Amino acid sequence: MMASSYNAKEEDGHHPGSSNHGGTGPSSSKKPDNTAFKQQRLPAWQPILTAGTVLPAFFIIGLIFIPIGIGLYVTSNNIKEFEIDYTGVEPDSPCYICAQNFSWNSTTPCICTVNFTLQQPFENNVYMYYGLSNFYQNHRRYVKSRDDKQLNGDLNNLEDPSSDCEPYRKIGGKAVAPCGAIANSLFNDTLDLSYVESNGTLNSIDLQRKGIAWWTDKHVKFKNPAGSNLSVAFQNTVMPVNWRNPVYNLDPSDPDNNGFINEDFIVWMRTAALPTFRKLYRIIPKKSGAASTLPSGSYRLKIAYNYPVLSFDGRKRMILSTISWMGGKNPFLGIAYITVGSICFFLGIVLLIINHKYGNRSSSADIPN
Amino acid sequence: VPCSAVTLCHGETLCVGEENWVDSRTVYIGHKEPPPGAEAYIPQRYPDNRIVSSKYTFWNFIPKNLFEQFRRIANFYFLVIFLVQLIIDTPTSPVTSGLPLFFVITVTAIKQGYEDWLRHKADCSINECPVDVVQQGKVVRTQSHKLRVGDIVMVREDEIFPCDLIFLSSSRYDGICYVTTTSLDGESSHKTYYAVPDTMAFRTEQEVDSLHATIECEQPQPDLYKFVGRINIYKDKEEPISRTLGAENLLLRGATLKNTQHIYAVAVYTGMETKMALNYQSKSQKRSAVEKSMNAFLIVYLCILISKAVINTVLKYAWQWSPDRDEPWYNHRTEIERQRHVVIRAFTDFLAFMVLFNYIIPVSMYVTVEMQKFLGSYFITWDEEMFDEELGQGAQVNTSDLNEELGQVEYVFTDKTGTLTENNMEFIECCVDGNVYIPHAICNGQILSAASSIDMIDSSPGGYRRDLFFRALCLCHTVQVKEEETVDGIKRGIHQGRPTSFYISSSPDEVALVEGMKRLGYTYLRLKDSYMEILNKDDEIERFELLHVLNFDSVRRRMSVIVKSSSGEYLLFCKGADSSIFPRVVSGKVEQVRARVEQNAVEGLRTLCVAYRRLSQSEYQEACHHLTEAKLALQDREQRLAQAYDIIERDFVLLGATAVEDRLQEKAADTIESLHKAGIKVWVLTGDKMETAAATCYASKLFRHSTQILELTKKRTEEQSLHDILFELNRTVLRQRSISGLSVDCLDFGLIIDGATLSAILKSNQEGTSHGNYREIFLEICRNCSAVLCCRMAPLQKAQIVKLIKASKEHPITLAVGDGANDVSMILEAHVGIGIMGKEGRQAARNSDYAIPKFKHLKKMLLVHGHYYYIRIAELVQYFFYKNVCFIFPQFLYQFFCGFSQQPLYDTAYLTLYNISFTSLPILLYSLVEQHVTMESLKREPSLYRDIAKNSLLRWPVFLYWTCLGVFDAFIFFFGAYFLFDNTTFTSNGQMFGNWTFGTLVFTVLVFTVTLKLALDTHHWTWINHFVIWGSLLFYVIFSLLWGGIIWPFLNYQRMYYVFMQMLSSGPAWLSIILLITVSLLPDVIKKVLCRAICPTATERAQVLFCASNCASILPPVPYRGAVHHLHAFPVLQQNEFLIGPERQERSRKRR
């Protein structure tokens, strides 16, 4: 016990041979500053959460949220959406044969056609999506497997892609462009939509390929390697193993939509958050004269069936949707707003009762001593 | 002591106890070889006198410091995580954990390096102190560290011994010297050491140098009070003389030479081998209760972390059992990976999950806690209210580790003298034959009605006795006079118009008495050539020859002097405690004096009785004979002296009594009352006698008039067995408790126990349990007493008491406060040690965790600072765990949707910066400036302290609440975003978002929720809070805009490019952010409001009360009657308080 009663500090003021005692002299005495901060007396707002203060807030939240929710819900309900699964799992589905007979080696695409009917006309711009299910675009190995420098037109990375792209990095010593698993698995079904007139003639609908990718992606993040000619720029590379066309020939119709800046490619390269996802495929712009973009009636979807999904129990869908300011059809947000608003309103009433009941009681109780 | 100093023994035979020597060393005094033939000269190597307290050298600093740092379990954990990230392919880059770890390690290394540099400097200044060494018959000045074993050292008065020395000779003829060992064991009294008898006659350097001798002694031992050795002195061709050496010959390093001009001594233990250095012990690391809870929480989180990783690993392998899931055609493994064994792959996956979730135990929490403690402690130092003008010093923080422990104190152990009282003795009155004399009598008939105040000139009857009384007090003391010199130790300056002279003594009471006599007309001038000179009231100098001093000891509790007056009379004057004087008195007005003494004792004055005895020539001769015989005794000297004193000190004539006041510290009573109200049990531990201590306790309101006093003293144990008393008291206490039950007006008990009884209780436990466990019964009694007074305590017993309470089954948090060296042991023992920067030196302040100038500052220290620190750090700890649950749990949930592939939900920058910058500053600032209740309320209502007692904010239910809240919020964040993203778009141009937008949305909601949650908890919004909270949110937004706004050339990926902006361009994203934040905060708001409405704590009421008075605009002035009533209670109590307190203070104020 005694042993621990002194320590190295002890000697600080007491040196053998010196008679200077008493530790620190008055020189070190400093009266602390009388500042608000040092004395912890900064002016402060001291709110407290009591039933009384929270009550109005709850009512206000309730009153704001419920209308917002109703607005959202109505908006969402007004959106027209049509979805069709063309995977071809069931034997009676039109794409069953294509799905079953899929082969990586076939050079001619398997074509199947799906007929469907729109009950209601679709006004304004109609957006065409393809949807995949059970496709893990968010798998870590998959998300990582790309080279953003290569995609940005970096010449070094074009011919020597990042090791993140393994095992889709090089084929036979030549760099893959674009490298990586994401690019390799680019969705390559072709969807064509035609309106079936009442007399049975097909009226092909114009599908717009531009404007489906983020503007910044198309113009900044993705860049083709420098060079007068795309095919020359990519001459030292090979295309990904599962592709049928080289990267500089993705869109034969539009030379500006080739290479890394192909919009279909850019859309695919933005990995989806969840295993069931949809991606924007085409835009059907509003026709200036017509009443509706897609009038109600029969339609035929012609599919070049290139993309296998059955091996992993996947599904393929085609979705047609109109868009409001809040995006596609999603009742969740509206319902959630209405629910939360109601709960807040209800809680407000409960608190009002509690405040009445206990506000008086607690004031009469003494502080326990 | 095994060997007596003067026992002679011969070289060949062994001394008593010599066979027990552990290992011996031979010291050659003056490095001289022994004469040939006597014994073999074996030169031995000993360390030099260098003291090394530093830990590192320039070369080993980096490896050693890194080693030390990584021995901390938390640092090691982060290092392992970092290494795992380096080795295996992990979801996050090693930078995310490497950078914070590097930062922490560097900062700590710099701090420790600086501290060690200071230690090097301190060591250096100690080691280079000048020391006088005798070499070749001359005194040579060298540096302390050059001292070697065998060197002969000369030490002057007031110097500190540079190493452990064997005392050879002194400037005093009797071969003794006085030493204080204050810095060693805290005893400030002068101790006597004896020179080796054969060498004590040496006077000069030459003589000392001529000594030819060797010392054999044991190898260094840490025990301060034990030393055995033998000195062999060689004279020309004679048989060497051997003498045993004991602890009374050994002067210890660190002790100070007093009242002796100089001494010669020989070094036997040097440097790190001195007893003091062997006792070097860094203060045992005190850990606060909060830290313990924090570690417990950490372990829980570590378990959660591991189980998360295990669950995910198992699920991963279950899920990817089918190869189409494991390796679908679009997502192949590399060839190397495919060839790896499945067990290795599983283990790697487990590690990867660990890395992914490791942020749940954030490295930044340690940094923030350390910073909070370090910076927060400045508020104590800065506190103006704790600054003492007189001392010129404010509070001082020696360790910041225990700030929050100040808010958890359940027991306060306080010293009395110097802590509760001022230790500023003032002579109040003396009573001669029943007449009361007061120096500078400002007669106030009303107060002193009982005392007949007599002017000095008035020659009342009994004048002779009165003068004799004054002379007795002037002669019967050991006070020394120092003129015109700065004296160390206790300073008592009196300005007389001529050069200042001081009375110094180890006992402040004596000084007060001599000073009091001076004011009554008798001035003690000096002791010259064993004649004591007194200036009497007629300005004549009286000379008395001082023949013998019968020193004070605590057993006899009295001291005497025998003097010969100028008329040739032999007089014995004795002064001492009433209990030790009255039985020896044969005549005098005993009754009147006794009544007065008792009255004074009750008023808290320290009383002494004075008696005398006239000795005839023959009686004196006889006394002389007894004394010299006893002094020369070879064995049992102490005992024989006591016998001799007993024979001489008898047949007294009682002269009178004195009363000295040790005034109560300013506001001591108020402080104790506040502590009581705060639910803190206050124990007074003092070495003082029971009556005085009890009176102080009454005056300081520790005991009230309603307190039922239980006594557990030696007086009672003499009548009854300890067993019976304990059981009887226990019954009393328990009966009372059962009667009063839950009623508020419970009669409170006060316990008085003395040292002897305490040691009996403690000892009983060791002897076995034949009489039951006294210790438990004693603790049971104590638990039911609101106040306990322990008197007659030895320093070690104080520590024992603290230890006893600490070890009792509730493990309460204890605080010890004291000012003297005798309190050091208890200060070190208690959970929190507080030193008062008092008059008895600075030992206590130096060894304490916190030092305050006055006892009254304890109130603010505990009730305000302690309370704040506790709630601040409790919130800090809980909030840190909460925000990391919120942070990591969505990542865990995400694994279920990404095929358990360890895909992180957030971008690397977010992962790294979340704890470092987005959410770090608001909580740090909160934990520095939060005041949930105003300072005034805390001071006014000490009972608020009870709200945080027993670590209430860090109990498991609270922790569970926070964790559940975190998990709930995490679910809201994740599934809110999930349903928003569910298979649809939420942009107005139909474009889709990807996984990084998903993560960014969750992260945005997370940062906002977590920050706003803190905002909801903040009760004290200063501009700093506003700045930091809104600033952090703004910083997050700006950072995100910037991070996504540029293609960063140094990054391999551009995954965040425009993600944040695109998200903000979408209306539903905004709406869902607002919705999710609201939903996440809702349960906490409801819980807060409901708790406050249904069962408000005292703290919450105080908040409302304050609000009602200060911010009436927000709240209608609700009549919280209870609290108002409580506030009024204080003045009412003041009227009822125990009468002695204010009256006493009133009186002393008037006298001054």
Side-chain angles (χ1 to χ4, degrees), chain B residues 255-473:
Chain B
T256 316
L257 185 64
K258 292 283 177 190
N259 293 3
T260 314
Q261 274 184 352
H262 64 262
I263 59 143
Y264 293 104
V266 59
V268 284
Y269 303 135
T270 50
M272 299 310 284
E273 289 188 345
T274 57
K275 286 188 184 271
M276 180 173 152
L278 290 174
N279 276 298
Y280 264 166
Q281 209 177 47
S282 54
K283 261 187 260 176
S284 59
Q285 197 69 46
K286 290 182 181 176
R287 284 170 61 207
S288 73
V290 168
E291 214 179 318
K292 284 173 200 156
S293 329
M294 204 166 98
N295 286 341
F297 297 163
L298 267 184
I299 288 168
V300 171
Y301 270 74
L302 198 65
C303 294
I304 292 177
L305 170 67
I306 290 172
S307 52
K308 268 184 180 177
V310 169
I311 288 171
N312 268 335
T313 314
V314 171
L315 286 178
K316 179 182 166 108
Y317 280 86
W319 182 80
Q320 63 185 29
W321 193 248
S322 100
D324 281 332
R325 282 202 180 140
D326 185 22
E327 276 188 273
W329 64 263
Y330 56 85
N331 192 12
H332 283 294
R333 289 176 201 281
T334 57
E335 207 49 45
I336 311 157
E337 237 179 305
R338 226 174 268 166
Q339 278 158 6
R340 242 178 241 153
H341 193 266
V342 68
V343 176
I344 295 173
R345 265 195 287 179
F347 183 68
T348 320
D349 277 323
F350 170 76
L351 288 181
F353 279 119
M354 287 283 282
V355 168
L356 186 67
F357 301 141
N358 88 84
Y359 304 93
I360 202 165
I361 300 173
V363 67
S364 60
M365 180 167 76
Y366 286 90
V367 187
T368 314
V369 166
E370 296 267 309
M371 272 180 26
Q372 191 268 347
K373 286 183 171 183
F374 175 72
L375 296 175
S377 61
Y378 275 102
F379 283 119
I380 292 181
T381 339
W382 284 336
D383 194 330
E384 207 185 18
E385 279 175 45
M386 298 212 285
F387 181 81
D388 191 66
E389 296 285 351
E390 213 176 300
L391 272 171
Q393 268 189 316
Q396 192 181 309
V397 179
N398 294 335
T399 168
S400 56
D401 290 343
L402 298 168
N403 290 345
E404 67 276 3
E405 202 82 334
L406 292 171
Q408 289 294 304
V409 175
E410 287 164 75
Y411 281 86
V412 166
F413 297 95
T414 165
D415 175 42
K416 186 182 79 77
T417 316
T419 307
L420 274 182
T421 62
E422 285 189 343
N423 197 15
N424 191 359
M425 302 299 167
E426 199 178 346
F427 180 79
I428 297 297
E429 60 166 45
C430 56
C431 159
V432 186
D433 290 348
N435 300 324
V436 177
Y437 298 86
I438 295 164
H440 298 256
I442 304 159
C443 295
N444 189 325
Q446 279 179 325
I447 291 171
L448 305 174
S449 53
S452 51
S453 164
I454 298 163
D455 197 69
M456 286 308 103
I457 297 117
D458 174 30
S459 55
S460 59
Y464 170 72
R465 291 281 276 278
R466 191 188 65 206
D467 292 345
L468 198 61
F469 175 85
F470 292 153
R471 285 194 188 99
L473 283 180

Side-chain angles (χ1 to χ4, degrees), chain A residues 1-7 9-11 14-17 24 29-32 34 37-51 53-54 65 72 104 127 129 135-136 138-144 148-149 166-168 181 185 211-214 216 220-221 242 270-275 278 280 307-308 311-312 317 323-330 332-333 336-337 340 347 351 354 358 361-367 369, chain B residues 89-91 126 129 160 183-185 224 253 276 279 281 283 319 324 326 329-334 379 382-385 387 389 392-393 796 824-825 828-829 843 846-847 865 872 894 897-899 901-903 931 934-936 941 976 978-980 983-995 998 1019-1022 1024 1052-1054 1057-1058 1062 1068 1071 1075 1078-1079 1086 1088-1090 1092-1094 1101 1103 1106 1114 1119 1121-1122 1126:
Chain A
M1 173 48 48
M2 272 306 174
S4 61
S5 68
Y6 42 90
N7 54 19
K9 271 184 174 178
E10 206 65 286
E11 286 200 341
H14 293 256
H15 305 149
T24 48
S29 76
K30 257 276 168 109
K31 194 177 163 84
N34 184 17
F37 174 69
K38 287 188 175 180
Q39 301 307 319
Q40 305 192 60
R41 290 191 194 287
L42 283 175
W45 171 53
Q46 287 161 315
I48 41 172
L49 285 178
T50 60
T53 44
V54 171
F65 273 28
L72 284 171
W104 285 113
Y127 294 78
Y129 296 90
F135 190 100
Y136 283 83
N138 57 5
H139 196 281
R140 180 161 72 93
R141 207 164 56 225
Y142 187 83
V143 170
K144 198 175 70 164
D148 277 340
K149 283 202 171 143
E166 292 287 6
Y168 306 99
S185 57
I212 57 171
W214 293 12
T216 46
V220 186
K221 190 170 159 182
N242 288 345
R270 182 157 296 283
T271 49
L274 300 166
R278 59 170 76 163
L280 188 54
Y307 206 72
S311 63
F312 52 88
R317 290 162 293 142
I323 291 278
S324 71
W325 64 272
M326 60 159 285
K329 194 179 188 78
N330 189 359
F332 162 72
L333 207 54
Y337 259 94
V340 173
L347 281 171
L351 282 180
I354 286 174
Y358 289 96
R361 202 192 74 172
S362 66
S363 65
S364 59
D366 203 345
I367 292 177
N369 200 354
Chain B
D89 168 44
T90 58
I126 289 165
C129 267
I160 293 175
S183 56
L184 277 173
D185 57 12
L224 289 178
R253 176 170 192 159
M276 180 173 152
N279 276 298
Q281 209 177 47
K283 261 187 260 176
W319 182 80
D324 281 332
D326 185 22
W329 64 263
Y330 56 85
N331 192 12
H332 283 294
R333 289 176 201 281
T334 57
F379 283 119
W382 284 336
D383 194 330
E384 207 185 18
E385 279 175 45
F387 181 81
E389 296 285 351
Q393 268 189 316
L796 217 61
V824 169
S825 61
L828 288 172
E829 180 65 42
Q843 255 70 43
R846 246 202 299 261
N847 286 291
H865 288 295
R872 286 166 186 175
Y894 192 55
F897 298 92
C898 69
S901 59
Q902 304 118 26
Q903 169 63 25
Q931 298 177 18
T934 55
M935 230 182 260
E936 284 67 34
E941 288 205 53
Y978 176 83
F979 285 116
L980 187 73
N983 211 10
T984 185
T985 180
F986 52 94
T987 53
S988 52
N989 57 8
Q991 291 169 357
M992 296 301 295
F993 289 147
N995 65 321
F998 184 80
H1019 293 102
H1020 192 76
W1021 283 86
T1022 62
I1024 304 176
N1052 287 328
Y1053 52 84
Q1054 306 297 340
Y1057 186 66
Y1058 257 70
Q1062 286 282 354
L1071 286 174
L1075 178 83
T1078 316
V1079 174
I1086 293 167
K1088 279 198 172 98
V1089 171
L1090 285 186
R1092 186 182 284 278
I1094 293 169
R1101 285 174 198 211
Q1103 289 172 344
F1106 173 80
I1114 295 178
R1121 235 184 330 124
H1126 198 81

Side-chain angles (χ1 to χ4, degrees), chain B residues 873-1152:
Chain B
I873 200 137
E875 172 88 9
L876 172 68
V877 170
Q878 300 279 28
Y879 178 78
F880 244 99
F881 284 116
Y882 159 80
K883 76 173 175 142
N884 283 294
V885 170
C886 288
F887 180 44
I888 287 309
F889 212 75
Q891 289 228 95
F892 173 72
L893 294 174
Y894 192 55
Q895 299 310 307
F896 290 83
F897 298 92
C898 69
F900 306 101
S901 59
Q902 304 118 26
Q903 169 63 25
L905 185 56
Y906 318 114
D907 180 48
T908 307
Y910 287 160
L911 280 173
T912 315
L913 293 179
Y914 176 72
N915 272 314
I916 293 182
S917 61
F918 297 146
T919 60
S920 63
L921 275 184
I923 183 61
L924 178 64
L925 262 294
Y926 172 95
S927 67
L928 286 175
V929 303
E930 167 69 354
Q931 298 177 18
H932 62 312
V933 182
T934 55
M935 230 182 260
E936 284 67 34
S937 312
L938 283 178
K939 271 191 265 181
R940 210 167 41 194
E941 288 205 53
S943 58
L944 296 180
Y945 195 78
R946 291 166 189 247
D947 272 10
I948 55 163
K950 295 261 172 213
N951 209 359
S952 63
L953 299 181
L954 289 175
R955 290 211 205 113
W956 288 107
V958 187
F959 172 69
L960 199 68
Y961 169 75
W962 278 89
T963 307
C964 288
L965 191 70
V967 172
F968 170 82
D969 286 356
F971 266 95
I972 295 292
F973 303 156
F974 183 79
F975 286 105
Y978 176 83
F979 285 116
L980 187 73
F981 268 75
D982 188 24
N983 211 10
T984 185
T985 180
F986 52 94
T987 53
S988 52
N989 57 8
Q991 291 169 357
M992 296 301 295
F993 289 147
N995 65 321
W996 298 115
T997 315
F998 184 80
T1000 307
L1001 182 75
V1002 172
F1003 193 78
T1004 308
V1005 177
L1006 164 74
V1007 168
F1008 274 81
T1009 306
V1010 157
T1011 308
L1012 290 178
K1013 158 75 179 136
L1014 188 69
L1016 279 181
D1017 287 350
T1018 305
H1019 293 102
H1020 192 76
W1021 283 86
T1022 62
W1023 65 266
I1024 304 176
N1025 295 79
H1026 282 290
F1027 178 76
V1028 168
I1029 285 184
W1030 311 128
S1032 307
L1033 293 180
L1034 195 68
F1035 174 74
Y1036 165 68
V1037 173
I1038 291 173
F1039 174 84
S1040 298
L1041 290 176
L1042 206 69
W1043 186 239
I1046 300 172
I1047 296 277
W1048 293 97
F1050 58 87
L1051 288 178
N1052 287 328
Y1053 52 84
Q1054 306 297 340
R1055 50 171 90 130
M1056 293 307 287
Y1057 186 66
Y1058 257 70
V1059 162
F1060 191 69
M1061 277 80 108
Q1062 286 282 354
M1063 186 186 81
L1064 291 189
S1065 69
S1066 145
W1070 283 85
L1071 286 174
S1072 59
I1073 288 172
I1074 293 168
L1075 178 83
L1076 296 181
I1077 292 172
T1078 316
V1079 174
S1080 308
L1081 293 176
L1082 206 58
D1084 193 47
V1085 172
I1086 293 167
K1087 181 242 165 194
K1088 279 198 172 98
V1089 171
L1090 285 186
C1091 281
R1092 186 182 284 278
I1094 293 169
C1095 48
T1097 60
T1099 313
E1100 284 164 349
R1101 285 174 198 211
Q1103 289 172 344
V1104 173
L1105 188 76
F1106 173 80
C1107 200
S1109 56
N1110 287 38
C1111 39
S1113 55
I1114 295 178
L1115 255 196
V1118 192
Y1120 278 83
R1121 235 184 330 124
V1124 176
H1125 167 79
H1126 198 81
L1127 288 182
H1128 287 300
F1130 182 57
V1132 177
L1133 269 171
Q1134 250 182 351
Q1135 289 158 17
N1136 290 347
E1137 74 197 328
F1138 198 65
L1139 283 167
I1140 281 174
E1143 195 193 356
R1144 177 82 261 153
Q1145 282 169 357
E1146 188 73 357
R1147 271 176 72 179
S1148 36
R1149 219 169 291 131
K1150 282 198 172 125
R1151 281 195 194 104
R1152 252 172 275 135

